[in-house]
Amino acid sequence: MKSPVLRDGELTLRLLRYRDKDIWTQVRRINNEWLTPWEATRPEHIDSSPLPSYVQMVAHQKREAKAGRLFAMGIWIADRKDERFIGQITLGGIVYGAYRGGYIGYWIDQRYSSRGYTTRAVKLLTKFAFEKLQLHRIEIAVRPENDASIKVAEKAGYTFEGLRPRYLHINGDWRDHSTYVIENPNI
């Protein structure tokens, strides 16, 4: 599959590239404290392998995108002067066949939160998933105490489906998640 570039005004979503390493690393470092409560972690007693390097991560994401199974995209905003990296959004876990679905996950630079960029990115990626990939269903799993992320899901048209106890390993422990879903109205 050709690498998608999705646009909505000054907002652009595109696959992460090797040359984005420095800015990605810088934004992640600046936002470490802001993101840590919501970050996926690995249970040490089950998986003690080292995390992949940025280059390994992007190489994996490129292979998965080519196969149509995962699209990990940088969120960029542009003005007259330059383009700024402000976060990441992923459409992953894509399964075709009878299920035809996947999930969306995202994070945003704290300096750009509460400006509508994440909601616009979710809507844009959802549109791609429904129109180009012909997916039937997309889920967003959110920690119940993450009010900002819940607002993003709801404003993007996702509806609460239910609570999944101890669903994902986040910030060092198995955490409950609220599941928000949207279905393709054309399938």
Side-chain angles (χ1 to χ4, degrees):
M1 169 174 276
K2 185 176 183 267
S3 295
V5 176
L6 311 177
R7 289 190 169 81
D8 176 18
E10 80 286 7
L11 184 77
T12 299
L13 307 181
R14 63 170 165 72
L15 297 180
L16 290 172
R17 303 173 297 194
Y18 298 118
R19 65 178 175 249
D20 298 329
K21 179 182 184 229
D22 290 344
I23 190 63
W24 185 90
T25 303
Q26 177 186 5
V27 171
R28 292 288 303 184
R29 183 180 43 76
I30 290 167
N31 287 275
N32 185 55
E33 187 176 327
W34 158 259
L35 296 173
T36 295
W38 320 114
E39 286 287 296
T41 50
R42 295 176 176 188
E44 290 298 322
H45 65 284
I46 298 170
D47 185 357
S48 60
S49 60
L51 291 173
S53 68
Y54 178 85
V55 170
Q56 290 168 326
M57 177 187 75
V58 170
H60 169 75
Q61 291 171 350
K62 285 177 177 268
R63 285 190 303 274
E64 291 297 294
K66 189 173 184 180
R69 292 186 294 252
L70 177 135
F71 297 89
M73 308 179 101
I75 304 171
W76 302 82
I77 56 169
D79 60 23
R80 287 185 234 154
K81 294 183 231 172
D82 63 359
E83 186 178 59
R84 285 168 290 191
F85 174 75
I86 64 166
Q88 184 175 333
I89 186 165
T90 300
L91 171 61
I94 299 170
V95 177
Y96 296 96
Y99 177 65
R100 268 201 111 66
Y103 67 81
I104 287 180
Y106 44 83
W107 62 267
I108 190 82
D109 183 330
Q110 185 176 15
R111 298 169 294 180
Y112 295 92
S113 67
S114 301
R115 297 189 195 181
Y117 292 125
T118 311
T119 301
R120 286 171 58 197
V122 169
K123 287 179 177 181
L124 199 55
L125 195 53
T126 300
K127 181 179 178 183
F128 167 78
F130 285 169
E131 292 179 2
K132 300 296 183 196
L133 302 179
Q134 294 291 294
L135 296 185
H136 164 67
R137 174 187 169 92
I138 302 170
E139 298 182 2
I140 296 175
V142 178
R143 299 260 312 268
E145 63 273 21
N146 189 340
D147 293 333
S149 201
I150 289 169
K151 286 179 188 173
V152 166
E154 291 174 343
K155 287 181 179 180
Y158 286 68
T159 57
F160 178 73
E161 185 175 64
L163 182 71
R164 291 184 175 172
R166 298 164 311 285
Y167 181 60
L168 293 172
H169 202 269
I170 303 290
N171 194 21
D173 203 358
W174 295 103
R175 310 286 182 177
D176 296 349
H177 279 71
S178 297
T179 301
Y180 289 80
V181 300
I182 193 167
E183 292 183 2
N184 190 338
N186 299 315
I187 293 183

